[in-house]
Amino acid sequence: MLEIKNLHVKLEDEDKQILKGVDLTVPAGEVHAIMGPNGSGKSTLSYVLSGRDGYEVTEGEATLNGEALLEMEPEERASAGLFLAFQYPVEIPGVGNMTFLRTAVNAQRKSRGEEELSAADFLKLIREKARTLKIDAEMLKRPVNVGFSGGEKKRNEILQMAMLEPRMCILDETDSGLDVDAMRLVAEGVNALRSPDRAFLVITHYQRLLDHIKPDVVHIMADGRIVRSGGPELALEVEENGYGDLLAEVG
Amino acid sequence: MTEQIGEAIEVREGVDRETVETVQNMGSYKYGWETDIEMEYAPKGVNEDIVRLISEKNEEPEWMTEWRLQAFRRWQTMTEPKWAMLHYPEIDYQEQYYYARPKSMQVKPKSLDEVDPKLLATYEKLGIPLKEQMILAGIDGAEGAPAEGRKVAVDAVFDSVSVGTTFKDELAKAGVIFCSISEAIREHPELVKKYLGSVVPQTDNFYATLNSAVFSDGSFVYVPPGVRCPMELSTYFRINAENTGQFERTLIIADKGSYVSYLEGCTAPKRDVAQLHAAVVEIVILEDAEVKYSTVQNWFPGDEEGRGGIYNFVTKRADCREARAKVMWTQVETGSAITWKYPSCILRGDESQGEFYSIAIANNHQQADTGTKMIHLGKNTRSRIVSKGISAGQAQNTYRGLVSMHPRAKNSRNYTQCDSLLIGDKCGAHTVPYIEVKNTSSRVEHEATTSKVDDDQLFYCRSRGMDEEEAVALVVNGFCREVLQALPMEFAMEAQALVAISLEGSVG
């Protein structure tokens, strides 16, 4: 599914190298977690994969199902099946949540040469998804993320994910700022989307999200590199001892 | 007669849907083509003979000719206003035509089926978009529209003449007079004499005075006391002929306790040379009456280098003449190379109300200087201004508004919200509010913001699959939402699509 080879990235307007050779493979059907201390490059990785401005790839490559990801525009990556659940979802005043989603769904369908969803089919679909994610119908009518609580914003991201049905989902610290109940709802949403032809990359600081979303593989990132990979037990180790010992080990 | 019109409109329905779909596919300016039709011109330039000729062509009575001549003499003593934030080469008023009509219109058609099919085809192709929304209205029960959809009567003006008015008979049954102004001058002189020039006097300003002298046609509406006009009325203006100015005149009178909603649309072919449009709209609103006036202005804006386009110098004013009269202006200004336009409200009657909702989009080299005047004369009068200006490319967009509270206008209120949005770093947005308060019990509020289309918002939309232009259109539509919502449903969809089209090429 997602393959990243020797990825080096620096900030565009600063001479600061952030990723220093990331190697990562996430096969279809698997959930991988990336953990690591602040400033290790986790969020940068998610932004570079989704095509945000401001970063320069100096070396390496990333492919999604064999397609060269880094050469595509952000919207092409989305249509190719990549989805990023933002750590800080943006507010768009005046644009109804439903209008936003319908525009997004149809834009993707159009670019894949599929027929656009009719208003009726769209409504049916979004109501069904909102019900599963326990999202209030009122939230669908409100402007995108405007006045949403932290939990609502994150659930809204998961709703978008459910509607767009991406093949590769990246969650960027989706757990930050969530209380236990909100986190459980978000995790349930993710778990409901798990399937053999979909992969997840969950970026997180803490073990607690991984209590709800059981990862197949856990990677530890530090100073722009993946320094260790292992099973779910690696996350528990971090929880217990912090990053200190781990990082000291790899030098 | 009614049946035949019904048919004509059915034909339009099909065409309209196509047009709207095309519009939604977001091409560039869609209305830039020209109808190849034999035209009859008055000699170039303007002088007393031309004024008399126009009057004669319209078969006007003596008093009207005199009225025009009086205006023309006045105009010769006037100079062009220069206070607006607009830059354009000097206009040579003797270098253009003041009258042009299709030859086929020499004999006045008695019904729509006598009208040159080429002309009708023009309007079909333009997709006077109103009928399309009829269908939508029928489907969408939310608005409480009747199953067969809402009817919209149209008066279509082509260059200097009105080519036809639909649903006239049906309106007549309700007592509503809806016809071209040339017909009104002939058929309803008492109304025209009483109200013409009573809101925008001949002496008002350079362009209005010129219009008073040379206006060739336009629309006339009279809604009798207590009548709620049974359908939306609309005028569709089309400039087709080359090097011709269009000077139309609209006069709307809403008698006591009546209601009417009026829509106006306008387009013109693409040409390298700029063309002049100087219109006057006068609205008289009597006790307890209400008028809604909506414009979707889509004149050719000029090309990317700023060549050609319409110079739009328009005077629009409503006079809430008696108690509790109410007017609401809604405008979506996307076309024109130059826009000089301030649809205004005189709140003369006690407790009268004026509202102004505006979206002005300027892209490439367009310049817009637009806003409103709220003149509070009566007690307990209310006004509300919501202006959304969007600038892209190298365009300049100015909001200019006057809120004036006169000494007698006790306990009156105004609220102004004026927001500007910039796309790119070569365009400009300016806000010039004038506030005069001459009594102590009135309240005036002005809020203004200027912001840029946010890169994070665009990236968020793009990461969900929208391309950059779609993303800009979505964000801008959100920015304009309050005003778009004020538009009648018939126009809202077209306006939304227009917002997207007008901003094409503004990013990346």
Side-chain angles (χ1 to χ4, degrees):
Chain A
M1 179 74 57
L2 178 69
E3 226 171 310
I4 303 169
K5 283 185 194 150
N6 195 31
L7 188 63
H8 287 69
V9 171
K10 71 181 244 332
L11 283 180
E12 215 166 51
D13 43 12
E14 256 176 82
D15 209 23
K16 190 182 173 196
Q17 200 74 29
I18 301 189
L19 299 186
K20 301 170 180 172
V22 175
D23 288 289
L24 181 67
T25 303
V26 187
E30 292 192 4
V31 175
H32 286 214
I34 296 188
M35 302 178 74
N38 278 332
S40 56
K42 303 186 301 293
S43 285
T44 298
L45 179 64
S46 71
Y47 285 143
V48 170
L49 292 175
S50 57
R52 192 186 185 118
D53 282 344
Y55 301 100
E56 190 186 325
V57 176
T58 50
E59 216 184 317
E61 59 170 359
T63 55
L64 183 65
N65 294 310
E67 287 182 84
L69 199 57
L70 302 177
E71 279 149 40
M72 297 185 215
E73 294 294 333
E75 60 270 27
E76 292 169 336
R77 300 179 197 205
S79 299
L82 184 82
F83 181 91
L84 169 66
F86 283 63
Q87 186 181 3
Y88 304 108
V90 180
E91 299 185 357
I92 310 180
V95 177
N97 221 358
M98 284 229 252
T99 309
F100 178 82
L101 262 170
R102 194 170 166 216
T103 312
V105 167
N106 282 336
Q108 290 201 15
R109 294 179 76 102
K110 223 165 31 190
S111 84
R112 288 194 293 256
E114 299 161 14
E115 205 162 316
E116 293 185 20
L117 274 187
S118 72
D121 287 345
F122 175 81
L123 269 177
K124 217 176 115 191
L125 189 67
I126 195 167
R127 286 201 181 122
E128 186 190 303
K129 302 277 186 193
R131 203 163 33 238
T132 337
L133 292 168
K134 301 195 174 69
I135 284 175
D136 191 18
E138 202 45 45
M139 200 168 113
L140 301 178
K141 291 183 197 155
R142 282 157 58 187
V144 181
N145 294 321
V146 178
F148 284 24
S149 70
E152 283 176 326
K153 281 185 181 169
K154 298 300 165 67
R155 262 189 289 161
N156 198 33
E157 293 293 287
I158 305 301
L159 171 69
Q160 291 179 10
M161 190 160 90
M163 287 296 292
L164 294 167
E165 301 188 326
R167 300 161 77 181
M168 179 70 227
C169 310
I170 304 172
L171 280 69
D172 185 11
E173 302 201 14
T174 295
D175 49 345
S176 67
L178 290 192
D179 60 30
V180 181
D181 290 340
M183 181 140 43
R184 193 179 302 121
L185 274 172
V186 166
E188 277 171 14
V190 171
N191 287 332
L193 283 170
R194 285 178 87 146
S195 90
D197 52 9
R198 183 171 288 141
F200 288 85
L201 187 59
V202 181
I203 296 171
T204 180
H205 253 312
Y206 307 107
Q207 158 65 27
R208 48 183 202 162
L209 182 64
L210 304 180
D211 289 339
H212 302 286
I213 306 173
K214 291 269 176 299
D216 298 295
V217 181
V218 174
H219 307 275
I220 307 294
M221 196 164 179
D223 193 27
R225 266 183 224 104
I226 305 253
V227 291
R228 252 186 87 178
S229 301
E233 71 286 351
L234 193 54
L236 293 170
E237 204 182 314
V238 170
E239 181 81 351
E240 204 111 317
N241 307 321
Y243 293 109
D245 293 354
L246 268 173
L247 299 184
E249 239 171 79
V250 294
Chain B
M1 166 96 184
T2 317
E3 257 181 50
Q4 279 156 353
I5 289 169
E7 265 183 336
I9 278 153
E10 256 167 41
V11 174
R12 275 193 201 144
E13 266 176 16
V15 178
D16 290 346
R17 285 174 91 169
E18 228 170 73
T19 310
V20 169
E21 273 161 25
T22 323
V23 165
Q24 283 170 334
N25 286 337
M26 300 212 237
S28 47
Y29 191 72
K30 290 290 177 193
Y31 307 105
W33 41 268
E34 178 183 348
T35 308
D36 180 19
I37 197 163
E38 245 194 299
M39 297 294 293
E40 174 201 352
Y41 292 91
K44 234 182 207 175
V46 58
N47 51 48
E48 291 204 4
D49 288 342
I50 294 289
V51 174
R52 283 199 183 88
L53 181 81
I54 293 169
S55 191
E56 194 182 306
K57 291 274 182 204
N58 285 346
E59 296 164 37
E60 285 171 359
E62 183 85 21
W63 60 265
M64 191 65 226
T65 317
E66 277 311 312
W67 196 84
R68 287 173 178 278
L69 286 170
Q70 204 183 344
F72 180 71
R73 286 168 198 147
R74 171 80 185 193
W75 181 69
Q76 284 176 302
T77 70
M78 296 170 95
T79 47
E80 257 181 81
K82 296 281 184 216
W83 41 259
M85 208 175 283
L86 300 169
H87 303 278
Y88 52 94
E90 205 169 323
I91 299 168
D92 185 345
Y93 291 89
Q94 299 303 341
E95 260 311 301
Q96 56 181 339
Y97 298 101
Y98 285 78
Y99 189 84
R101 75 172 173 192
K103 276 209 167 137
S104 57
M105 294 293 293
Q106 275 165 350
V107 180
K108 292 246 179 296
K110 289 192 181 53
S111 68
L112 268 187
D113 45 316
E114 281 180 27
V115 172
D116 185 339
K118 262 189 190 167
L119 271 180
L120 288 182
T122 301
Y123 285 100
E124 283 170 18
K125 194 170 165 192
L126 287 170
I128 303 178
L130 313 160
K131 301 306 167 295
E132 140 79 15
Q133 268 65 15
M134 268 170 60
I135 302 165
L136 283 172
I139 295 167
D140 186 15
E143 291 285 317
E148 74 273 19
R150 284 200 279 169
K151 286 177 185 164
V152 179
V154 182
D155 179 41
V157 176
F158 191 89
D159 288 326
S160 305
V161 289
S162 164
V163 294
T165 309
T166 60
F167 293 117
K168 254 169 104 170
D169 295 352
E170 213 169 314
L171 288 167
K173 273 182 218 152
V176 175
I177 305 172
F178 181 40
C179 62
S180 70
I181 190 125
S182 56
E183 187 180 328
I185 290 166
R186 292 190 302 269
E187 309 289 331
H188 309 283
E190 68 299 338
L191 286 170
V192 176
K193 260 190 194 167
K194 185 167 174 192
Y195 293 110
L196 187 75
S198 74
V199 186
V200 179
Q202 279 189 343
T203 54
D204 194 79
N205 70 73
F206 183 82
Y207 304 109
T209 307
L210 175 62
N211 174 286
S212 301
V214 301
F215 79 84
S216 43
D217 220 330
S219 307
F220 175 83
V221 178
Y222 173 76
V223 191
V227 171
R228 192 179 170 89
C229 188
M231 59 186 88
E232 307 257 357
L233 303 184
S234 75
T235 308
Y236 196 89
F237 298 112
R238 173 73 175 171
I239 296 180
N240 189 62
E242 207 164 349
N243 207 8
T244 301
Q246 193 179 55
F247 304 90
E248 87 273 352
R249 185 121 195 161
T250 302
L251 177 58
I252 298 172
I253 302 138
D255 214 324
K256 293 182 195 300
S258 67
Y259 169 86
V260 62
S261 165
Y262 195 89
L263 321 171
E264 177 196 82
C266 26
T267 61
K270 273 185 186 172
R271 296 190 194 286
D272 291 346
V273 180
Q275 276 179 285
L276 180 64
H277 175 253
V280 171
V281 175
E282 292 184 277
I283 305 179
V284 180
I285 307 161
L286 303 184
E287 201 175 84
D288 291 311
E290 183 179 349
V291 174
K292 283 186 181 163
Y293 193 104
S294 316
T295 305
V296 173
Q297 189 269 107
N298 189 19
W299 297 116
F300 177 50
D303 66 14
E304 279 159 35
E305 269 76 52
R307 282 183 302 244
I310 301 292
Y311 288 1
N312 198 26
F313 299 99
V314 174
T315 306
K316 294 183 169 186
R317 199 172 301 152
D319 186 356
C320 291
R321 203 160 278 185
E322 295 177 357
R324 295 170 303 279
K326 200 174 163 190
V327 63
M328 178 170 144
W329 295 101
T330 308
Q331 59 167 14
V332 178
E333 299 286 312
T334 64
S336 293
I338 304 274
T339 301
W340 182 98
K341 184 181 161 191
Y342 316 89
S344 301
C345 306
I346 300 172
L347 303 171
R348 195 185 306 273
D350 291 346
E351 289 167 61
S352 58
Q353 284 181 45
E355 288 173 36
F356 174 77
Y357 294 92
S358 172
I359 298 170
I361 300 181
N363 195 1
N364 296 318
H365 291 265
Q366 282 177 273
Q367 302 172 61
D369 193 299
T370 183
T372 185
K373 287 188 260 183
M374 293 289 172
I375 314 290
H376 291 253
L377 301 176
K379 287 194 276 291
N380 301 312
T381 47
R382 299 269 178 280
S383 66
R384 180 177 159 87
I385 300 170
V386 179
S387 162
K388 305 276 178 177
I390 297 127
S391 316
Q394 301 175 52
Q396 297 294 328
N397 208 331
T398 303
Y399 168 81
R400 190 180 300 275
L402 168 68
V403 176
S404 174
M405 297 286 182
H406 284 240
R408 219 181 68 77
K410 302 254 187 289
N411 297 311
S412 294
R413 289 199 57 176
N414 160 267
Y415 172 73
T416 300
Q417 169 81 44
C418 181
D419 299 321
S420 304
L421 187 68
L422 300 169
I423 303 173
D425 52 13
K426 293 190 182 67
C427 54
H430 319 274
T431 306
V432 192
Y434 304 81
I435 297 170
E436 302 170 356
V437 183
K438 292 175 184 157
N439 70 62
T440 51
S441 57
S442 291
R443 214 166 112 192
V444 176
E445 282 173 83
H446 183 99
E447 279 182 32
T449 64
T450 301
S451 49
K452 283 197 73 166
V453 168
D454 186 59
D455 285 342
D456 288 340
Q457 287 176 335
L458 292 187
F459 175 64
Y460 190 62
C461 295
R462 292 180 74 190
S463 78
R464 299 303 181 243
M466 297 170 217
D467 67 31
E468 203 163 5
E469 290 195 338
E470 246 175 317
V472 169
L474 193 82
V475 171
V476 173
N477 263 311
F479 174 78
C480 303
R481 195 177 133 98
E482 222 178 327
V483 176
L484 287 170
Q485 277 179 331
L487 281 172
M489 206 187 8
E490 279 78 359
F491 268 12
M493 270 185 61
E494 192 203 9
Q496 240 177 51
L498 257 184
V499 167
I501 290 170
S502 324
L503 289 168
E504 238 182 38
S506 60
V507 285

